[in-house]
Amino acid sequence: MKKTLLLFLATIGLGLGTNAASVRVSTENLSGNPMREKSDTPEGLILTAPDGETKTYYMDLLTHDEAVGFIGDYHNKVKITFCENGEVYVPNAVYRNTIKGLMRGQLNAEKDTITFSNNMIVGWGPNQKKYYYVKLTDNGGHIIARDNFKMAIDKATGKITCADGNLYLSLFFGDDVAQTYGIGANFAYTPVEYVDNRLDSYNFFYADSEDDKATHEVKVKGYFEGEDFYIKGMNPKYPNAWMKGVLKENKTVQFLSRQMANLLKTDDPIVMLATSPKDNDGFNIHAGFELEISADKTTLTGLNDGNIFMSNVAIDEDLNKTLLRSYKIFTLKLSPLSPATPKAPEFQKYSSDEQEFTFILPSEGTDGTKLDADFMTYRIFVNGEPYTFKKSLYPRLRNDEDLSVIPFIFDDYNTISKSGYKRYVYFKGLDANTETLAVEATYSVKGESHTSDRLVYNLKTGEHGVVTGISTPESSEKPKSITYYDLSGRKLSGQEKGICIKVITYENGRSKVSKVML
């Protein structure tokens, strides 16, 4: 990041003030690819976690660098590994795209606190042969002399948050502690299941500032967590970005400026700012923008007559502010999701020469209702057993890890391709004795999953058909979590007396929902 940008944001008064300016330096020492091959990893640097239970979380933090100051950076997916010996491995969050070392912590006996050492190695600069360190500091990057810091685990929700109040971690290069390369604050990690079980669908209406006569409509996902409102897809240029709004007196939802729209591979940010145009073709910067919310919380409508825009802004080292895109006339209308059972996939063809399995994957329920594809997945079965596309066998698989549960929208243009509702799956090395291929779809909303009947194709006879009542035997599935809810949908902290809803989530992604008496 460029330190001159810090001065810009320090002058626009967007709240969340900081005195972190005096020790900022350029990032010329940051290698574009500072991590080395595993076999050549410097001692003390951890790039890969040992074997353990790996869980996926949404990471929230305030990230600070020389270009922008503190930015709200919401719901980035990260993986945390819990080992049997109590060690916990968490990805470094400060300059996370270029400095990819892991922080190692220790879980206590009660499994509600993780303790990390102050001064952890998270990267290596091969040119100058120096380490990158993460150290505990104040918000200005000044080191705090303590042996360790702690993160707390809420056993009811699984959330991991700072246990020591406001927590600031700074990145340093080598022994020079007067020069910081970035600061992270207010770290929080939320299990993806916790978020996914609360998501609802919204229709988002907006206009591009360059053509405000045309209104566009897209589907977005969001949920309320108390007074906080999280929404994904409301930034049309960066649809994978999450934004956070805050409910004010049940009348408006306010989205503050300085939210992360996109983080480039070089760790340079694109920032969402609320702006309005200037007469001289420039733009003013505002603290944020607001949406008026209806009494039933089903509709959010833009205020200010469209005079304040939601803008993506890039700022260079010379303090030049480049407005990439602006949007106005915001409206969000709730399109509530309901559990449903998807229709069974339909067979198209199988080519033995290419080992190509082609089928139709409908996004409709058995009752004909349209399903939201973002909440649909499917699984492939070979000889009745769940099949995993392993990176070692499918090196061109465009996924960060082996793939078993396939998102409906997944397409890597190689191993798994899609065209509308049609899916093309290309296998490698299927055994000559392979007898059947099969596929089934699952729809998961509001913490409840329903799986379609299974399409089965017999390679020996060429016959195909839909088989009902097939599911992976529970005896062979490993439960990942068991959660209880009361009849109103409120999550319970444990097994409370009375009638409640029990949800078992298995490691293969399947869920079983039942009503039980305790």
Side-chain angles (χ1 to χ4, degrees):
M1 283 6 107
K2 315 300 187 292
K3 67 177 179 179
T4 50
L5 265 160
L6 173 67
L7 302 178
F8 163 69
L9 279 176
T11 62
I12 62 178
L14 300 182
L16 238 174
T18 175
N19 61 358
S22 59
V23 297
R24 298 297 171 261
V25 297
S26 70
T27 56
E28 59 186 4
N29 289 328
L30 283 174
S31 167
N33 184 22
M35 300 299 98
R36 311 190 64 181
E37 295 297 325
K38 186 175 181 181
S39 60
D40 196 25
T41 300
E43 184 179 356
L45 175 62
I46 305 170
L47 298 180
T48 304
D51 291 339
E53 182 181 5
T54 299
K55 302 179 181 180
T56 304
Y57 290 80
Y58 283 117
M59 176 182 68
D60 292 359
L61 74 156
L62 297 175
T63 182
H64 179 279
D65 61 35
E66 301 157 283
V68 185
F70 280 106
I71 310 165
D73 195 358
Y74 302 112
H75 283 21
N76 304 283
K77 278 190 176 181
V78 298
K79 294 185 181 298
I80 298 178
T81 300
F82 296 81
C83 300
E84 288 188 3
N85 61 1
E87 291 181 346
V88 181
Y89 292 84
V90 180
N92 166 53
V94 185
Y95 278 79
R96 61 179 178 267
N97 287 338
T98 50
I99 309 298
K100 295 187 175 181
L102 302 177
M103 303 189 305
R104 179 172 58 197
Q106 186 67 40
L107 189 65
N108 66 348
E110 293 76 18
K111 297 185 178 181
D112 60 5
T113 302
I114 308 172
T115 302
F116 296 88
S117 297
N118 187 9
N119 192 33
M120 288 175 288
I121 295 172
V122 293
W124 171 252
N127 294 333
Q128 298 192 34
K129 300 188 183 305
K130 294 181 180 179
Y131 287 108
Y132 289 95
Y133 297 90
V134 166
K135 302 174 186 285
L136 192 64
T137 68
D138 61 16
N139 67 343
H142 306 108
I143 291 179
I144 295 176
R146 278 172 44 188
D147 293 335
N148 55 56
F149 62 90
K150 301 179 186 295
M151 302 286 285
I153 302 176
D154 186 324
K155 288 188 175 181
T157 64
K159 292 183 179 181
I160 303 173
T161 54
C162 307
D164 298 328
N166 292 330
L167 176 67
Y168 295 89
L169 294 178
S170 296
L171 182 70
F172 295 87
F173 185 58
D175 298 327
D176 189 352
V177 295
Q179 298 180 342
T180 60
Y181 287 86
I183 304 174
N186 292 11
F187 298 87
Y189 301 85
T190 304
V192 292
E193 296 86 358
Y194 181 91
V195 172
D196 293 347
N197 290 346
R198 284 158 177 76
L199 285 178
D200 243 319
S201 181
Y202 291 80
N203 296 317
F204 176 49
F205 302 87
Y206 70 95
D208 193 305
S209 62
E210 296 183 1
D211 181 14
D212 58 7
K213 295 181 180 179
T215 300
H216 306 277
E217 179 183 358
V218 294
K219 282 280 190 181
V220 300
K221 314 300 174 195
Y223 69 104
F224 276 96
E225 177 79 1
E227 294 184 346
D228 294 333
F229 179 58
Y230 295 92
I231 192 82
K232 178 185 178 182
M234 204 170 77
N235 191 327
K237 185 173 178 62
Y238 302 105
N240 290 323
W242 284 83
M243 294 176 59
K244 176 184 175 182
V246 178
L247 183 65
K248 300 292 185 182
E249 299 179 349
N250 286 323
K251 295 180 178 179
T252 65
V253 175
Q254 182 184 45
F255 293 85
L256 292 177
S257 283
R258 276 195 290 174
Q259 297 197 34
M260 188 73 75
N262 188 39
L263 189 64
L264 304 179
K265 291 182 178 180
T266 56
D267 279 312
D268 292 307
I270 305 297
V271 185
M272 187 287 291
L273 299 174
T275 69
S276 62
K278 280 184 178 180
D279 294 336
N280 62 356
D281 203 29
F283 56 90
N284 302 302
I285 299 175
H286 301 268
F289 64 86
E290 290 183 289
L291 303 182
E292 185 177 23
I293 187 167
S294 61
D296 58 4
K297 294 186 179 181
T298 61
T299 304
L300 294 86
T301 307
L303 298 176
N304 307 304
D305 299 322
N307 292 326
I308 294 182
F309 303 157
M310 177 179 69
S311 299
N312 296 310
V313 177
I315 311 170
D316 65 22
E317 61 184 358
D318 297 321
L319 212 62
N320 296 314
K321 302 180 288 293
T322 303
L323 191 148
L324 303 179
R325 210 70 173 178
S326 292
Y327 308 95
K328 62 179 180 179
I329 316 177
F330 318 114
T331 301
L332 285 166
K333 291 186 177 180
L334 179 66
S335 178
L337 298 170
S338 299
T341 300
K343 286 184 176 180
E346 303 170 12
F347 178 78
Q348 288 287 289
K349 68 174 184 177
Y350 177 74
S351 170
S352 57
D353 293 336
E354 297 180 314
Q355 294 190 349
E356 175 193 350
F357 184 32
T358 307
F359 53 89
I360 298 292
L361 197 65
S363 61
E364 292 181 347
T366 53
D367 59 357
T369 57
K370 182 70 175 177
L371 305 183
D372 192 317
D374 285 346
F375 296 87
M376 285 188 66
T377 58
Y378 62 99
R379 295 206 71 173
I380 302 293
F381 297 82
V382 175
N383 289 335
E385 295 295 329
Y387 185 78
T388 298
F389 294 88
K390 297 183 178 295
K391 295 281 286 184
S392 57
L393 184 59
Y394 298 91
R396 297 179 65 183
L397 182 69
R398 294 183 182 179
N399 202 55
D400 292 337
E401 56 190 13
D402 296 347
L403 187 61
S404 299
V405 179
I406 308 168
F408 182 92
I409 60 175
F410 181 83
D411 186 352
D412 70 355
Y413 309 99
N414 183 266
T415 302
I416 301 170
S417 299
K418 71 181 183 71
S419 176
Y421 296 108
K422 190 175 290 188
R423 297 295 182 274
Y424 306 85
V425 178
Y426 297 90
F427 293 96
K428 285 187 176 180
L430 281 181
D431 191 278
N433 295 321
T434 300
E435 183 171 345
T436 62
L437 299 176
V439 58
E440 63 185 24
T442 298
Y443 190 58
S444 302
V445 297
K446 301 298 184 182
E448 188 174 332
S449 296
H450 293 272
T451 299
S452 72
D453 291 333
R454 186 179 298 180
L455 167 66
V456 180
Y457 171 73
N458 191 304
L459 281 71
K460 304 296 185 182
T461 66
E463 296 177 331
H464 60 84
V466 173
V467 182
T468 62
I470 291 182
S471 63
T472 304
E474 291 181 25
S475 60
S476 66
E477 294 180 291
K478 183 178 180 181
K480 184 177 182 180
S481 64
I482 299 177
T483 310
Y484 294 89
Y485 299 86
D486 64 19
L487 296 182
S488 68
R490 181 179 63 88
K491 185 175 181 180
L492 305 177
S493 59
Q495 295 186 11
E496 301 183 14
K497 292 183 178 180
I499 299 175
C500 64
I501 304 299
K502 179 180 179 181
V503 180
I504 304 175
T505 302
Y506 298 94
E507 289 189 341
N508 63 9
R510 194 179 74 86
S511 296
K512 179 183 178 182
V513 182
S514 59
K515 186 182 291 185
V516 297
M517 171 69 79
L518 300 176

